Amino acid sequence: MTQLPHVLVVEDEAAQREVLGYNLEAEGYRVTRAENGEEGLLCVAEDAPDVIVLDWMMPNLSGIEVCRRLKISHETRAIPIIMLSARAEEVDKVRGLETGADDYVVKPYSVSELMARVRAQLRRVRPATVGQVLSYDDIVLDTETHRVTRNDVTLKLGPTEFRLLATFMEKPRRVWSRDMLLDRVWGRDIYVDARTVDVHVGRLRKVLTQNGGADPVRTVRGAGYALG
């Protein structure tokens, strides 16, 4: 099974951290919890999440500083950050957003609203996980019906090839290393040899080109694969 969307919750108040974690897991996400800014940065370095829910007011290393550090790093700047704060003044919201936060939620907040905001960020970074129809050139992939067409002709893909294609189509032209594809398509808890990626990419290419048309999957020597 493809790896679930991964949300990191960085919150120093244990009760709020657990409420957030519980509700996110109920939504079907994989959740990592961190109780302070330093631990949050370590979690990102060890296992980069798809979305971060980050409290502003924490001792030692504040959420605003964590956000600043993540957004100046090339490796982490694209991870959406939802800032949580009791600071409701406009100047505070502006500061949070200008530091790099992608969204700003004032405490106390509605859990259902926060879940909706997480889904909105996931639609940007991992659209295949939230029932979106993806398209690239003449290829269309429907994540809800698991239907793939090319030039309006239905293609029959195995489950692994479907997940591979969905990953490629989420971010066309992005180069995915074999290790990145293993994490995203197979998941971290399953051991699969990196050469298995090559086998399944080969199968995907065969199906995509079986009715003619150029091979859209590009091999980047020494780096991995990309769509387009």
Side-chain angles (χ1 to χ4, degrees), residues 190-208:
I190 300 175
Y191 176 76
V192 180
D193 190 280
R195 288 172 294 182
T196 302
V197 175
D198 301 333
V199 172
H200 286 279
V201 169
R203 292 177 182 171
L204 174 61
R205 282 173 155 155
K206 184 177 180 179
V207 176
L208 290 176

Side-chain angles (χ1 to χ4, degrees), residues 1-5 28-30 126 129 146 159-164 167 181-192:
M1 179 176 288
T2 188
Q3 191 175 30
L4 297 172
Y29 305 138
R30 180 167 66 93
R126 288 195 65 182
T129 65
H146 274 235
T160 302
E161 287 71 42
F162 182 90
R163 294 193 298 268
L164 263 177
T167 297
L181 289 171
L182 285 172
D183 284 348
R184 179 62 66 90
V185 176
W186 281 268
R188 283 178 169 263
D189 297 330
I190 300 175
Y191 176 76
V192 180

Side-chain angles (χ1 to χ4, degrees), residues 73-127:
S73 168
H74 177 74
E75 289 78 14
T76 57
R77 66 177 58 164
I79 301 174
I81 295 175
I82 300 174
M83 183 77 74
L84 305 180
S85 177
R87 297 170 177 258
E89 297 297 323
E90 182 178 354
V91 64
D92 295 313
K93 295 179 183 178
V94 170
R95 182 184 174 196
L97 294 170
E98 288 187 341
T99 303
D102 298 87
D103 201 353
Y104 190 99
V105 178
V106 177
K107 295 180 177 181
Y109 50 82
S110 160
V111 172
S112 59
E113 179 187 352
L114 182 57
M115 296 301 111
R117 290 173 183 262
V118 171
R119 287 193 296 272
Q121 296 301 328
L122 281 170
R123 277 195 292 272
R124 290 199 303 110
V125 295
R126 288 195 65 182

